[in-house]
Amino acid sequence: MNEQRLQAYNQLIQTLLSCPSGEEPEILAANTELLDADFVQVVVAAAEHFAQQGEENTAEWLRNLATYLTTPETTPITQEDIDTYRQFLQEILQATAESNGDAEVIYPLLAANTDKLNDIFADLLRRWATNTLAEAEPDTAEYIAEVISNFSNLIQQFPLGSKASNMEIAIAGYEIALTVYTRSAFPVDWATTQNNLGIAYCERIKGEPAENIESAIAAFSTALEVRTRSAFPVDWATTQNNLGNAYRVRIFGERSENLEKAIAAYKAALKVRTRSAFPEDWAMTQNNLATAYSIRILGEQAENIELAIAAYRAAQEVRTRRAFPEDWAMTQNNLATAYGSRILGERAENIELAIAAFTEALEVYTRSAFPQDWATTHNNLGLAYHNRILGKRAENIELAITAYSAALKVLTRSTFPQDWAMTQNNIGNAYLDRILGKRAGNIELAINAYFAALSVYTQSAFPQNHAETLFNLGLVYQETEQFDLAYNTFASAIATVEALRGDIVSGDEAKRKQAEEWNQLYKHMVEVCLEFKRDTEAIEYIERSKTRNLVELLTKATSTSLERLPLVSSSIQFSEIQKLLDNKTTIIEWYLFNDCFRVFMITSDNKPAIWHSSQQDLDALIDWTNEYLDDYYNPEDENKIQWQNQLEERLKKLA
């Protein structure tokens, strides 16, 4: 079950719960493509949630719905149903033809028949068109293809009904048109339809997201075979921008490489989409390019963020609040996010710029007009206040909690489960750091928020988010000296992290960088083990942490294959370490913590001896390390350079 489909399931549940009594059958009939076994599972989970919230009537209604959907009674579509759909198909195609695809004519007709915009309609469209085109004269076939293409463009952008169904109908229409619009006979129409088909696949809800994006990339790439820069510069630029959007969200392939292709496509589009010739398209592509730079993996992160900020600012030269308020607000929100992660400049000033930009965006993104954007921007504003340096810390955290709480009024579990879980995790962090109020009460609120997030961030569906939230929860338990709970929570988080080994060695630098952050998880687990006097288990977790670091280092060597990497697991046992030693050998291990470092001395026949440093000792060690590295990397040290060159030559000979 992918994220998009899960969101579609929850949206359908919310629609069923909020609709007037008696309209439920019509809503279900309009969303037959979602009524599968996974949907039933989500309905059951929603029923449990409402029961836990004390809303037993809603929970019981959902249980009855699940029972109804699993009852093996299906009413087959009748000939009368087919006749009704066929009549509607003829009516909509005739209206499209007579109005030349006028949305003001077509959309009211679609709005009055949303119950028929489903898989049955898509299938009937395919069948009718295939049979009709098989017997049509060439001129008639071309005319039918044009009408179906126009209708597909309209249904693709139709805001009502089921988005999933609308995309399936649009895809069916474009694929039908391509049976007439061949590249040899109608190259321009063929390329246009390929481009539109690519957009539909990008927005498709059904099917596997990764495969949909691949279909979109294939369609855009095919369109560019005809839409060349020399022959059709404007269309070429449009498709390049669309191709960039597809590569930016691509799932298959190396993430870093996909983003480079997206950036290249946007830059190509901007060669034609200049500010003077096409200001709106120029601004849109600048915004897209900025987004790609903001998540870029290759290159210097600080430079990439500066490039993103520059492109967002460029977009706003055209996307002014007065001329394009919605686009302005979107770019303003994006710019604020970039300021929040900016490396160059003063950190405090960058956060102030982010807060100002988020606040300005909310002047357009009101709850009534743009509820989802309003909620998302409030979540982002909460992050900015939480990280704020200027002002009083206590007041900033209160502002963060207020912003997160506002976001959760729209980002509910039933409608936006993943965003809801993310915001729950964020507000949990804010409650944990809260200064005002009673500490025990804040701790309880943080724990509740983390548990709420974990109800969506399950190990199977969102393993990385699951591990991150467990880590946060474990930190709460450790701080409150609930060490049993801290131990179990950290253990679950580590088990999830070690199961993510394949992601770490996937070749994606972003994943490897994120995996390095799990060192803190292991450190806290070692601390909890030491609290329990489980010294040998602490050493086992240290070894697992070091093995993970070794894996991360080895993956940077292109010659290292997955099969040759060490496995990070609980198989590392202290007794096995001791077997490597004789009575004259001692292993001395250093391990750095946040406030000290410890030295573990391991012999063959005794429990490990542990020496604990002071904070002052740790500071001195860090200072010494920095001085050593400064000397080592000193470019003016000729003796060191000569030694490095000699070492490199010897290594080359050994290789």
Side-chain angles (χ1 to χ4, degrees):
M1 187 190 312
N2 60 64
E3 179 184 340
Q4 285 181 309
R5 193 159 183 84
L6 178 60
Q7 185 168 331
Y9 288 151
N10 284 296
Q11 183 63 55
L12 176 55
I13 292 173
Q14 183 65 21
T15 302
L16 290 166
L17 292 176
S18 59
C19 73
S21 179
E23 292 186 6
E24 294 88 352
E26 181 179 344
I27 293 171
L28 291 172
N31 293 274
T32 54
E33 78 285 352
L34 294 176
L35 306 183
D36 54 19
D38 286 338
F39 176 69
V40 174
Q41 184 179 354
V42 174
V43 170
V44 172
E48 294 177 1
H49 167 72
F50 281 108
Q52 292 173 0
Q53 300 298 315
E55 300 181 37
E56 189 56 39
N57 290 337
T58 302
E60 184 61 24
W61 189 91
L62 289 170
R63 294 189 193 104
N64 292 335
L65 173 62
T67 302
Y68 167 76
L69 293 173
T70 54
T71 301
E73 292 181 5
T74 57
T75 303
I77 185 169
T78 65
Q79 184 60 46
E80 182 179 356
D81 294 329
I82 295 175
D83 293 340
T84 301
Y85 275 92
R86 182 179 289 115
Q87 181 180 350
F88 171 61
L89 174 62
Q90 296 294 334
E91 182 181 1
I92 199 71
L93 292 179
Q94 182 177 350
T96 302
E98 293 176 351
S99 69
N100 197 26
D102 188 347
E104 293 185 3
V105 174
I106 303 304
Y107 281 178
L109 185 57
L110 293 176
N113 293 274
T114 54
D115 61 313
K116 301 180 185 68
L117 299 178
N118 50 35
D119 285 350
I120 298 174
F121 183 88
D123 183 62
L124 184 61
L125 174 62
R126 285 185 186 274
R127 292 173 181 271
W128 175 86
T130 300
N131 294 334
T132 303
L133 290 172
E135 300 176 357
E137 295 295 326
D139 289 346
T140 303
E142 181 183 355
Y143 177 72
I144 292 173
E146 179 184 357
V147 172
I148 292 177
S149 292
N150 289 339
F151 170 67
S152 297
N153 294 340
L154 291 166
I155 192 69
Q156 182 181 344
Q157 301 176 50
F158 184 54
L160 304 180
S162 166
K163 178 73 171 178
S165 294
N166 294 346
M167 287 303 103
E168 295 306 302
I169 295 170
I171 290 171
Y174 291 135
E175 290 178 345
I176 290 166
L178 286 171
T179 64
V180 177
Y181 290 153
T182 62
R183 180 176 178 179
S184 58
F186 303 94
V188 175
D189 294 323
W190 174 82
T192 299
T193 307
Q194 289 284 3
N195 178 78
N196 295 340
L197 179 63
I199 295 173
Y201 270 118
C202 275
E203 298 178 0
R204 192 185 191 197
I205 295 174
K206 294 187 65 176
E208 288 298 322
E211 294 176 3
N212 290 337
I213 296 171
E214 293 305 300
S215 296
I217 290 173
F220 292 138
S221 300
T222 300
L224 288 170
E225 295 174 7
V226 169
R227 287 185 160 188
T228 62
R229 182 180 179 183
S230 58
F232 305 98
V234 176
D235 294 334
W236 173 82
T238 297
T239 304
Q240 286 285 0
N241 180 77
N242 294 339
L243 182 62
N245 291 340
Y247 272 122
R248 197 180 73 217
V249 298
R250 192 186 192 194
I251 298 171
F252 288 154
E254 294 295 332
R255 178 71 172 147
S256 58
E257 182 180 343
N258 290 335
L259 288 172
E260 294 306 302
K261 289 181 178 179
I263 290 170
Y266 292 137
K267 286 183 175 179
L270 288 170
K271 293 177 181 178
V272 173
R273 289 183 160 186
T274 62
R275 180 179 177 181
S276 58
F278 306 99
E280 292 180 42
D281 294 333
W282 174 82
M284 177 178 66
T285 305
Q286 286 285 1
N287 181 82
N288 294 341
L289 177 62
T291 301
Y293 273 128
S294 69
I295 57 176
R296 191 185 192 190
I297 296 168
L298 301 184
E300 291 294 328
Q301 185 182 7
E303 181 181 353
N304 290 334
I305 295 174
E306 294 305 304
L307 290 169
I309 290 173
Y312 284 135
R313 285 173 172 170
Q316 287 192 316
E317 294 173 9
V318 172
R319 289 183 161 185
T320 63
R321 179 175 178 180
R322 175 173 296 182
F324 305 99
E326 186 176 352
D327 293 333
W328 172 84
M330 178 183 69
T331 304
Q332 191 78 350
N333 180 74
N334 294 341
L335 178 61
T337 302
Y339 275 128
S341 58
R342 193 182 195 187
I343 297 172
L344 301 184
E346 290 294 328
R347 177 66 174 156
E349 181 182 350
N350 289 334
I351 294 175
E352 293 305 303
L353 290 170
I355 290 172
F358 284 134
T359 303
E360 290 172 357
L362 287 169
E363 294 174 6
V364 172
Y365 279 162
T366 62
R367 181 177 178 180
S368 58
F370 305 98
Q372 185 175 358
D373 295 321
W374 176 84
T376 300
T377 305
H378 266 98
N379 175 76
N380 296 339
L381 180 61
L383 288 171
Y385 274 125
H386 197 169
N387 295 325
R388 194 182 195 188
I389 297 171
L390 301 183
K392 295 181 179 179
R393 179 64 173 158
E395 182 180 344
N396 289 336
I397 294 177
E398 293 305 304
L399 290 170
I401 291 173
T402 299
Y404 292 138
S405 299
L408 288 170
K409 294 177 181 177
V410 172
L411 301 177
T412 63
R413 186 182 186 215
S414 58
T415 52
F416 304 100
Q418 192 172 356
D419 293 333
W420 174 81
M422 175 187 66
T423 308
Q424 287 286 0
N425 186 70
N426 292 341
I427 201 171
N429 293 336
Y431 278 126
L432 184 61
D433 294 337
R434 194 181 196 188
I435 297 170
L436 301 182
K438 293 183 179 180
R439 185 59 180 163
N442 291 333
I443 289 291
E444 189 65 25
L445 289 169
I447 291 173
N448 291 339
Y450 291 140
F451 270 114
L454 287 169
S455 69
V456 172
Y457 284 161
T458 62
Q459 185 176 13
S460 58
F462 304 99
Q464 189 161 295
N465 300 120
H466 180 76
E468 290 172 350
T469 308
L470 282 175
F471 181 34
N472 291 336
L473 181 60
L475 291 175
V476 177
Y477 288 141
Q478 185 180 11
E479 178 186 328
T480 55
E481 298 185 355
Q482 301 180 71
F483 294 117
D484 284 331
L485 292 173
Y487 176 88
N488 292 333
T489 306
F490 287 146
S492 296
I494 288 173
T496 303
V497 168
E498 291 178 350
L500 289 170
R501 176 174 176 265
D503 287 340
I504 296 170
V505 299
S506 67
D508 190 321
E509 183 66 21
K511 289 180 180 177
R512 288 202 295 266
K513 287 180 179 178
Q514 191 158 21
E516 292 169 1
E517 298 175 3
W518 296 125
N519 284 335
Q520 287 295 324
L521 170 60
Y522 284 94
K523 286 181 181 179
H524 284 278
M525 182 56 148
V526 171
E527 289 175 344
V528 171
C529 288
L530 293 175
E531 286 287 344
F532 282 129
K533 306 300 181 183
R534 299 177 183 174
D535 298 345
T536 60
E537 189 173 1
I539 291 174
E540 290 170 356
Y541 275 109
I542 289 173
E543 290 302 316
R544 287 161 72 172
S545 174
K546 290 183 176 180
T547 304
R548 168 165 286 277
N549 289 335
L550 176 61
V551 169
E552 291 158 7
L553 291 172
L554 288 174
T555 56
K556 296 178 182 178
T558 56
S559 60
T560 304
S561 63
L562 177 63
E563 293 76 15
R564 296 174 60 188
L565 293 175
L567 181 65
V568 185
S569 71
S570 58
S571 61
I572 301 174
Q573 299 294 324
F574 180 77
S575 58
E576 297 297 321
I577 299 174
Q578 282 189 310
K579 290 180 181 178
L580 300 174
L581 305 175
D582 56 32
N583 58 6
K584 297 181 180 180
T585 307
T586 299
I587 293 177
I588 300 178
E589 279 197 277
W590 294 48
Y591 198 67
L592 299 181
F593 296 84
N594 295 328
D595 59 351
C596 70
F597 65 87
R598 290 181 172 89
V599 180
F600 297 81
M601 290 158 279
I602 306 170
T603 61
S604 61
D605 55 357
N606 294 317
K607 291 184 178 181
I610 304 174
W611 179 80
H612 184 291
S613 83
S614 64
Q615 177 72 57
Q616 186 177 1
D617 293 328
L618 177 62
D619 294 340
L621 176 62
I622 293 173
D623 291 341
W624 176 84
T625 302
N626 291 334
E627 290 175 6
Y628 174 83
L629 292 176
D630 288 342
D631 291 338
Y632 181 82
Y633 290 111
N634 182 6
E636 299 177 0
D637 189 338
E638 296 182 359
N639 292 330
K640 185 206 69 173
I641 295 172
Q642 182 180 3
W643 172 80
Q644 285 181 328
N645 292 336
Q646 291 174 348
L647 179 60
E648 289 177 1
E649 289 297 324
R650 291 177 182 175
L651 290 174
K652 288 179 181 178
K653 292 178 181 180
L654 290 173

